[in-house]
């Protein structure tokens, strides 16, 4: 899986999580839940569109692309712990649910025999 090379961006992480978890969302809806300035929101949305992680159709922003890659991007931009294989995190888990089996792996990937490839912080257990 390709890891993001851009510096982490908490603004991109926040916008990405909102759109993927409750989208599609209008710019007005995103702005109502945004704590930073409007310019920062627009910059984050533009960057996410350029990365192929969200799509704008008319006035709505919606999820776009591979969810695993998007979860990895979210982990990169937010700094949260994520599974080295699928990119799930405490706020964005696997579709069928999972828990941490170690520093770098969720239970769903462990059950598939996938080996972790990067370090993570201590976390929740079932």
């Amino acid at each position: 899986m390709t890891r993001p090379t851009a510096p982490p961006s908490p603004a991109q992480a926040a916008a990405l999580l909102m759109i993927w978890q409750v989208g599609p969302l209008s710019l007005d809806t995103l702005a109502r839940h945004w704590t930073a300035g409007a310019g920062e929101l627009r910059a984050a949305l533009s960057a996410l569109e350029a990365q192929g992680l969200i799509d704008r159709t008319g006035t709505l922003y919606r999820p776009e692309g591979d969810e695993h890659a998007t979860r990895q991007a979210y982990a990169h931009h937010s700094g949260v712990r994520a599974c080295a294989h699928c990119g799930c995190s405490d706020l964005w888990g696997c579709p069928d649910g999972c828990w941490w089996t170690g520093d770098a792996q969720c239970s769903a990937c462990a059950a598939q025999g996938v080996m972790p490839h990067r370090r993570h912080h201590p976390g929740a257990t079932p």
Side-chain angles (χ1 to χ4, degrees):
M1 181 168 301
T2 304
R3 289 189 174 81
T5 57
S9 169
Q12 287 183 41
L16 194 58
L17 187 66
M18 281 194 287
I19 291 166
W20 270 78
Q21 301 232 328
V22 295
L25 297 171
S26 69
L27 181 59
D28 289 339
T29 300
L30 286 162
R32 278 197 304 272
H33 299 284
W34 198 253
T35 57
E40 188 176 9
L41 173 59
R42 288 181 195 274
L45 293 171
S46 292
L48 293 170
E49 278 186 274
Q51 294 169 56
L53 301 173
I54 63 169
D55 179 54
R56 184 178 58 162
T57 304
T59 61
L60 296 177
Y61 290 89
R62 65 185 72 244
E64 178 73 17
D66 176 64
E67 186 173 358
H68 289 195
T70 303
R71 289 188 305 211
Q72 288 284 10
Y74 169 74
H76 168 76
H77 288 302
S78 66
V80 301
R81 171 187 49 185
C83 177
H85 178 72
C86 73
C88 72
S89 65
D90 289 336
L91 290 178
W92 194 339
C94 289
D96 293 329
C98 63
W99 59 87
W100 298 112
T101 62
D103 280 349
Q105 191 171 52
C106 75
S107 59
C109 289
Q112 294 175 15
V114 176
M115 296 303 296
H117 298 287
R118 73 174 197 197
R119 175 185 137 313
H120 295 286
H121 305 286
T125 57

